[in-house]
Amino acid sequence: MTQQKKEVLLTEEGLAKVKEELEYLRTKKRHEVAQRLKEAIAQGDLSENSEYDSAKEEQAFVESRIVQLENMIRNAKIINQDAQNKNYVSIGAKVTIQELPDGEKETYVIVGSAESDPSAGKISNESPIGAELIGKREGEIINVPVPSGTIQFKILEIN
């Protein structure tokens, strides 16, 4: 069975963070979990040892995350923000929008889903707002579906 490799869109900064997390998990975190397991095993009777069960669960999570990060790096496509066409919104663009009729201005960087962090102003190209922004130009109005209907935003600036 051949598994379809999904391209992971990342900025240079995003790729660096993924590599940093992977290095931390491979070196420090693996060692910490192995130490916890060793201490739990030393306590004896593993059948009723909650510390052992907890450490095994954490070990499984860490190993799973390592595989996930390795795949992200292997399938990474770097977004070159400097080469972006500033005439329309694309991945890597910094976009300032305003909710209509008189909402506050908000600025977001459009990134791939792996790098999305709305609290840091990074929204995914697959998010409702991000998907509506892709391909649009300054001055255009987008309609973003929300549970209560639709919200309109005007694109004020693309950098």
Side-chain angles (χ1 to χ4, degrees):
M1 178 170 97
T2 314
Q3 188 174 0
Q4 181 79 14
K5 292 180 182 168
K6 184 178 181 201
E7 196 172 67
V8 178
L9 302 172
L10 294 168
T11 60
E12 286 287 345
E13 176 188 353
L15 181 60
K17 284 182 180 178
V18 169
K19 287 180 177 179
E20 185 180 308
E21 182 183 353
L22 179 60
E23 183 63 20
Y24 166 75
L25 291 176
R26 282 181 174 163
T27 55
K28 289 189 167 103
K29 195 65 177 174
R30 253 187 188 161
H31 179 71
E32 289 171 12
V33 173
Q35 191 62 37
R36 278 185 61 203
L37 275 170
K38 186 176 175 183
E39 290 168 8
I41 290 170
Q43 293 174 10
D45 190 8
L46 299 181
S47 65
E48 294 182 21
N49 187 331
S50 63
E51 179 60 30
Y52 175 77
D53 293 340
S54 172
K56 285 299 283 180
E57 285 176 19
E58 186 175 11
Q59 180 185 43
F61 172 79
V62 168
E63 293 305 319
S64 172
R65 182 68 178 153
I66 287 171
V67 169
Q68 183 182 30
L69 294 172
E70 288 171 342
N71 286 331
M72 286 173 68
I73 292 168
R74 191 176 307 115
N75 298 315
K77 179 181 180 200
I78 302 304
I79 301 164
N80 183 350
Q81 292 169 291
D82 297 331
Q84 298 292 326
N85 182 335
K86 306 297 187 223
N87 293 325
Y88 60 90
V89 179
S90 58
I91 297 175
K94 187 176 187 179
V95 183
T96 302
I97 60 175
Q98 181 177 23
E99 184 178 340
L100 298 178
D102 55 4
E104 291 183 30
K105 294 179 183 178
E106 300 173 34
T107 301
Y108 298 106
V109 176
I110 311 298
V111 296
S113 59
E115 202 173 341
S116 177
D117 183 359
S119 63
K122 296 178 179 182
I123 60 171
S124 166
N125 63 313
E126 298 173 9
S127 71
I129 293 175
E132 289 296 325
L133 285 170
I134 296 292
K136 301 296 190 294
R137 298 177 180 277
E138 264 181 34
E140 283 194 59
I141 293 173
I142 61 168
N143 296 303
V144 179
V146 293
S148 62
T150 302
I151 298 177
Q152 287 190 321
F153 292 93
K154 183 174 184 177
I155 300 170
L156 303 177
E157 187 177 6
I158 302 169
N159 291 317

